[in-house]
Amino acid sequence: MAEITGSDVTYVPPAETEEADLYHAHSWVTKYVFSQDAKVIAIQYGATAIAVGVVGLILSSLMRLQLGFPEVFTFIEASHYYQFITMHGMIMVVYLLTALFLGAFGNYLIPLMVGARDMVFPFVNMVSYWTYLVAVLILMASFFVPGGPTGAGWTLYPPNTILPGSPGHEYGILLMLISLAVFIIGFTMGGLNYVVTVLQARTRGMTLMRMPLTIWGIFTATVLALFAFPALFVGAVMMTLDSVLGTSFFMPAIVSQGELLEYGGGSPILFQHLFWFFGHPEVYIVALPAFGIVSDLISVHARRNIFGYRMMVWAIVAIGAISFVVWAHHMYVSGMNLYFGFFFATTTLIIAIPTALKLYNWVLTLWKGNIQFTVPMLFSIAFIITFVNGGITGLFLGNATVDVPLSDTMFVVAHFHMVMGVAPMLVVFGAIYHWYPLLTGRMYNETLGRIHFWVTFLGAYAIFLPLHYIGLLGVPRRYFEMLETTYIPDSVQTLNGFVTVIAVAVALTQLVFFYNLFHSMRNGKLAERNPWKACSLEWQCAESPPGHGNFGKELPLVYRWPYDYGVPGAADDFIPQNTPPSASAPAGET
Amino acid sequence: MGLLEQLRDKPWEAAAGTVDERFGRRSVEMAAPHVGLRVFLGVATVVFCLSIIVYADRMTYGDWSVLPEPWVLWLNTAMLILSSIGLHWAQLSASRGQIDRVRDGLLIGGVFAFMFLAGQLYVSQQLVAQGYYAASNPANSFFYMLTALHAVHLFGGLVAWGRTILKVWQGVKVSDVRMTVEMCAIYWHFLLVVWFVLFGLLLFT
């Protein structure tokens, strides 16, 4: 913790900061629809991502109804089930979580937290959102084409993806591939903005090591995404050609429905490598912003500086780098060379080191902290617990030999839902509650927030802990129904029914969240300008919610890191980043 | 101050409690659009590298049969080199403040780029006419895919080129287009190098 007194430092007087070359909207349409203001774009990204996420949530509830009560909901046919699985997976991973963390939180927080007036390329930023919207619309259109959306599983493995056995093998898969390609183009535009803004548009005094960890997380995740999405792009283009032109990039010689197809010589494994070269960094594209955000939430709500800031930064960067050399641990059962498997098992275990380091640092930040059990803090603590649980099951699956019997069972489903479904969503909720006062100028309803937290948190465990057990019994994933299978006890079905009831209840509880969000926007208590007494710049704007240009006439000058909580001798228990040394010194010491 | 040195900072120490003038606002001594272009070139490099890796893997399978090398491809390569030279000339002229020569350089660069694209299209049509369809062999598939991928990137560059030359035609000051011209030239050189690699792949495999 820094004890900053006037005598310790050389005081640099604030210099004049020039007015940034800022785009000003001239009409309602350019202000709120085709807006170039990162804050509006963030809300557009967030609203679209959450809307499409609700579709994903409904699909998961439908899947659970089938698994919990087979042959009751007869309108869910086997092909529908596979389509629900596929669309649910892709929507949640790419169109919800990636867009929300980078598109929504990235756009809202980067300029505000680094002290910039806007992103460096506002027009490109706007085009990025509209491209994303087009990608979403293309994906949603697949529900309405003949054959419906693709049902090949979210991993889109060839050859079955484009063969008649899979639902949506004609139009559904095409729309999925086109949508992904469009999404990637849109994301690249946004990603360039996030990276360049962080590197080149920080305000004076905001050195790299004074950036909040939220920004480090979003920045590193963006770099990962920029270099990982091309693999999916290349795979999507090649598979589109296989499907439309009949090329054989990934398609082997194959007999389909008694007929020898014209494909031949292609390698489905090649697609798997491309997919997972994107797919594994994707886990961290979602996790790193969550790591960063949760670090800030814990620090603010425990009134303590983050433990091991520098280590936390390096851990984020190290996780990002290592995440590019672990991809084949998703492919242990694809028949790969044993030494290859050994290599990937080793790198997978190595990546656990910086991750564990972050976990220890979060716990040590909480240690002896003045913990405020606010809703954001509850979600943050829940995240730590959930990420540990999900991470530990990952150690089993990351080991080639242990993975073989567990592969393609419900254990895998339980693992990745805990680690990259539930855990990041807990952070999303925590972050929305935390920055809600900044976004709307009002406080959310605390009671409703707590109800939402406890039902979601406990509910998630009631859903996914049993799924681990079901998976250990050998129940495979992606099965429409098991009927009477000798090695599966009847109790599994009872448990599946229980899980479904809880899952539907948790899904419905999200209505409380939405009600709170919209109701408090008009009726919530007026928020103070800095209700959490946070140090970072977004809370130090001239007005709340921040206006166009973010910081009034002059950009803030940054004198310190964003974690000066409980500084001994300071007048208050927090010192904002833009407070000059002399102003933070206790009375009599200047 | 180097990037690594910046990352070794200890922001919690009292001595860091000043407005830090050491590296101002920027991490890299370059204008933001230039940094954006470099990052984009990084992304494009990954796209081409991955395509080449897949190409190298796929060609080891038994069904690979080598594609002919039409002589027009050499001509197209020359077009792209001339295009790049044109853009480079425009860039040099921009740094010397000679707006007329900037216009000429841009014009040369653009015209040769369009000729390159037309040449590529011609080669594809010739190959199809000779029965080298995209689906008939993986080597053909890769040829069409890689050349199309390269052409799309060049087409994107031509959009930026179009906006720039329009500005020059409207009589703006050279300082208003200097950075755009520089960026166009860098992008063109990058695409030339990519084409050398792709063409080399076609020739030697």
Side-chain angles (χ1 to χ4, degrees):
Chain A
M1 228 179 302
E3 184 172 352
I4 298 174
T5 62
S7 56
D8 285 343
V9 295
T10 318
Y11 177 65
V12 177
E16 286 295 318
T17 53
E18 77 274 19
E19 171 74 17
D21 186 13
L22 197 63
Y23 170 82
H24 297 288
H26 298 294
S27 67
W28 189 87
V29 172
T30 50
K31 194 171 181 185
Y32 295 110
V33 185
F34 295 105
S35 173
Q36 297 189 26
D37 188 320
K39 295 187 293 299
V40 178
I41 295 171
I43 293 167
Q44 290 175 323
Y45 254 115
T48 311
I50 291 174
V52 76
V54 169
V55 175
L57 187 69
I58 292 169
L59 293 175
S60 68
S61 299
L62 291 170
M63 278 187 280
R64 279 312 319 174
L65 287 179
Q66 168 59 29
L67 289 175
F69 308 100
E71 297 178 347
V72 172
F73 299 94
T74 48
F75 66 91
I76 305 174
E77 296 169 13
S79 59
H80 293 151
Y81 180 78
Y82 294 121
Q83 289 167 324
F84 296 165
I85 282 186
T86 309
M87 295 298 275
H88 166 79
M90 199 59 97
I91 285 173
M92 292 309 204
V93 172
V94 175
Y95 297 86
L96 169 69
L97 285 173
T98 308
L100 205 52
F101 273 122
L102 302 183
F105 288 119
N107 265 309
Y108 201 83
L109 295 175
I110 289 174
L112 283 169
M113 281 184 146
V114 303
R117 294 205 180 277
D118 205 326
M119 289 289 182
V120 286
F121 314 122
F123 178 77
V124 179
N125 206 21
M126 177 189 76
V127 179
S128 161
Y129 166 71
W130 289 98
T131 314
Y132 164 65
L133 183 66
V134 169
V136 169
L137 292 176
I138 294 172
L139 188 75
M140 291 300 112
S142 69
F143 281 106
F144 306 101
V145 294
T150 176
W154 90 280
T155 51
L156 306 178
Y157 280 179
N160 65 320
T161 305
I162 55 175
L163 292 180
S166 294
H169 70 280
E170 283 177 318
Y171 301 108
I173 181 65
L174 267 186
L175 288 177
M176 168 69 85
L177 295 170
I178 293 168
S179 168
L180 283 171
V182 173
F183 176 91
I184 292 164
I185 292 167
F187 170 75
T188 305
M189 291 189 238
L192 288 177
N193 256 304
Y194 314 151
V195 169
V196 181
T197 304
V198 169
L199 285 178
Q200 302 298 86
R202 303 188 309 274
T203 189
R204 284 180 62 219
M206 178 63 81
T207 62
L208 284 179
M209 296 306 266
R210 283 182 188 165
M211 293 198 305
L213 287 167
T214 296
I215 300 302
W216 270 109
I218 292 173
F219 172 74
T220 315
T222 305
V223 174
L224 289 194
L226 284 172
F227 294 117
F229 271 122
L232 183 64
F233 183 82
V234 170
V237 169
M238 288 179 172
M239 198 189 283
T240 306
L241 295 175
D242 277 2
S243 172
V244 177
L245 294 182
T247 55
S248 295
F249 289 111
F250 305 127
M251 297 298 282
I254 199 160
V255 174
S256 172
Q257 300 181 342
E259 192 184 334
L260 180 64
L261 302 182
E262 289 186 6
Y263 293 115
S267 166
I269 301 290
L270 207 53
F271 178 83
Q272 293 191 22
H273 280 295
L274 278 176
F275 183 86
W276 288 114
F277 187 78
F278 141 78
H280 197 82
E282 172 64 29
V283 174
Y284 292 99
I285 290 166
V286 170
L288 291 182
F291 287 173
I293 290 171
V294 93
S295 304
D296 283 350
L297 262 52
I298 284 175
S299 179
V300 173
H301 295 272
R303 314 307 298 160
R304 279 206 68 190
N305 63 311
I306 195 78
F307 189 90
Y309 170 84
R310 214 159 49 146
M311 219 187 282
M312 294 294 253
V313 171
W314 291 351
I316 285 177
V317 175
I319 291 169
I322 303 170
S323 76
F324 275 105
V325 287
V326 296
W327 81 89
H329 68 209
H330 296 272
M331 299 167 55
Y332 288 141
V333 292
S334 68
M336 68 167 73
N337 184 301
L338 286 178
Y339 292 107
F340 203 55
F342 174 74
F343 171 80
F344 281 99
T346 309
T347 52
T348 304
L349 293 183
I350 289 173
I351 207 170
I353 297 170
T355 313
L357 201 146
K358 295 189 78 65
L359 283 161
Y360 289 127
N361 282 0
W362 289 324
V363 175
L364 287 168
T365 303
L366 289 170
W367 183 254
K368 292 190 176 175
N370 176 13
I371 300 176
Q372 317 286 305
F373 285 102
T374 55
V375 177
M377 181 54 124
L378 291 175
F379 275 106
S380 303
I381 295 172
F383 164 80
I384 296 177
I385 297 167
T386 309
F387 201 79
V388 170
N389 283 323
I392 285 174
T393 51
L395 291 179
F396 295 97
L397 294 169
N399 278 288
T401 43
V402 187
D403 176 69
V404 172
L406 289 173
S407 190
D408 274 327
T409 65
M410 291 303 267
F411 187 87
V412 180
V413 174
H415 156 72
F416 72 68
H417 274 86
M418 285 298 257
V419 84
M420 77 167 299
V422 178
M425 276 315 291
L426 290 171
V427 177
V428 166
F429 288 133
I432 290 176
Y433 285 114
H434 178 77
W435 280 295
Y436 187 81
L438 185 71
L439 203 70
T440 63
R442 290 181 183 269
M443 296 302 288
Y444 55 84
N445 182 305
E446 184 78 16
T447 312
L448 291 180
R450 285 174 189 277
I451 292 171
H452 175 227
F453 166 74
W454 285 109
V455 176
T456 305
F457 174 57
L458 297 178
Y461 277 78
I463 295 165
F464 292 109
L465 281 182
L467 289 192
H468 286 90
Y469 171 68
I470 290 176
L472 283 174
L473 289 176
V475 175
R477 65 195 279 210
R478 295 194 178 117
Y479 273 41
F480 173 60
E481 57 186 346
M482 295 302 294
L483 298 176
E484 286 179 21
T485 308
T486 47
Y487 69 90
I488 295 171
D490 293 341
S491 57
V492 164
Q493 195 45 55
T494 315
L495 210 48
N496 257 330
F498 166 79
V499 168
T500 296
V501 171
I502 301 291
V504 173
V506 171
L508 289 174
T509 304
Q510 304 315 308
L511 292 173
V512 175
F513 168 68
F514 288 119
Y515 174 78
N516 196 358
L517 222 57
F518 290 113
H519 187 258
S520 303
M521 218 179 274
R522 285 185 179 279
N523 306 301
K525 203 173 69 181
L526 279 176
E528 296 167 38
R529 212 179 62 169
N530 184 1
W532 308 121
K533 302 194 188 311
C535 300
S536 45
L537 284 186
E538 80 273 24
W539 298 102
Q540 324 303 334
C541 296
E543 48 182 336
S544 176
H548 187 57
N550 294 346
F551 292 102
K553 197 162 176 285
E554 277 192 351
L555 286 174
L557 297 176
V558 170
Y559 298 86
R560 61 191 76 243
W561 71 335
Y563 300 107
D564 266 341
Y565 295 103
V567 177
D572 208 344
D573 90 323
F574 74 108
I575 311 173
Q577 280 191 282
N578 58 342
T579 307
S582 57
S584 65
E589 267 186 68
T590 51
Chain B
M1 180 184 248
L3 207 59
L4 279 179
E5 209 177 331
Q6 292 180 44
L7 294 178
R8 282 204 297 270
D9 247 19
K10 293 178 180 170
W12 55 89
E13 285 185 350
T18 60
V19 170
D20 204 325
E21 295 285 7
R22 283 176 299 174
F23 23 85
R25 290 178 174 189
R26 294 173 176 175
S27 300
V28 188
E29 281 309 320
M30 213 180 264
H34 267 289
V35 180
L37 176 68
R38 300 306 196 282
V39 178
F40 178 72
L41 294 187
V43 175
T45 305
V46 175
V47 170
F48 284 109
C49 282
L50 286 168
S51 307
I52 291 167
I53 290 168
V54 177
Y55 179 98
D57 184 272
R58 186 66 180 82
M59 67 179 284
T60 58
Y61 292 69
D63 59 342
W64 188 273
S65 103
V66 180
L67 202 68
E69 295 139 15
W71 65 270
V72 183
L73 283 177
W74 287 98
L75 196 64
N76 291 349
T77 307
M79 301 284 178
L80 199 58
I81 293 172
L82 289 173
S83 177
S84 219
I85 290 173
L87 262 303
H88 193 69
W89 188 40
Q91 182 194 357
L92 288 179
S93 307
S95 65
R96 290 178 194 137
Q98 300 160 323
I99 192 76
D100 289 347
R101 291 189 176 183
V102 170
R103 190 185 54 214
D104 295 345
L106 282 174
L107 211 56
I108 292 169
V111 167
F112 278 113
F114 276 115
M115 285 169 73
F116 170 82
L117 287 179
Q120 295 290 79
L121 201 63
Y122 174 76
V123 169
S124 302
Q125 282 177 340
Q126 288 295 304
L127 286 173
V128 170
Q130 291 169 31
Y132 293 98
Y133 301 113
S136 50
N137 192 269
N140 309 357
S141 317
F142 270 104
F143 174 79
Y144 293 119
M145 193 197 79
L146 290 174
T147 48
L149 205 58
H150 181 261
V152 166
H153 277 80
L154 188 58
F155 190 78
L158 280 169
V159 173
W161 168 87
R163 286 167 56 109
T164 315
I165 202 160
L166 205 65
K167 276 189 196 168
V168 173
W169 227 269
Q170 285 166 349
V172 296
K173 285 186 291 184
V174 74
S175 56
D176 292 339
V177 288
R178 185 177 293 136
M179 194 192 294
T180 329
V181 173
E182 272 173 19
M183 287 167 60
C184 279
I186 293 168
Y187 188 61
W188 250 253
H189 301 335
F190 167 78
L191 286 182
L192 180 65
V193 172
V194 170
W195 173 247
F196 283 154
V197 174
L198 296 181
F199 193 34
L201 264 185
L202 186 71
L203 288 181
F204 298 113
T205 55

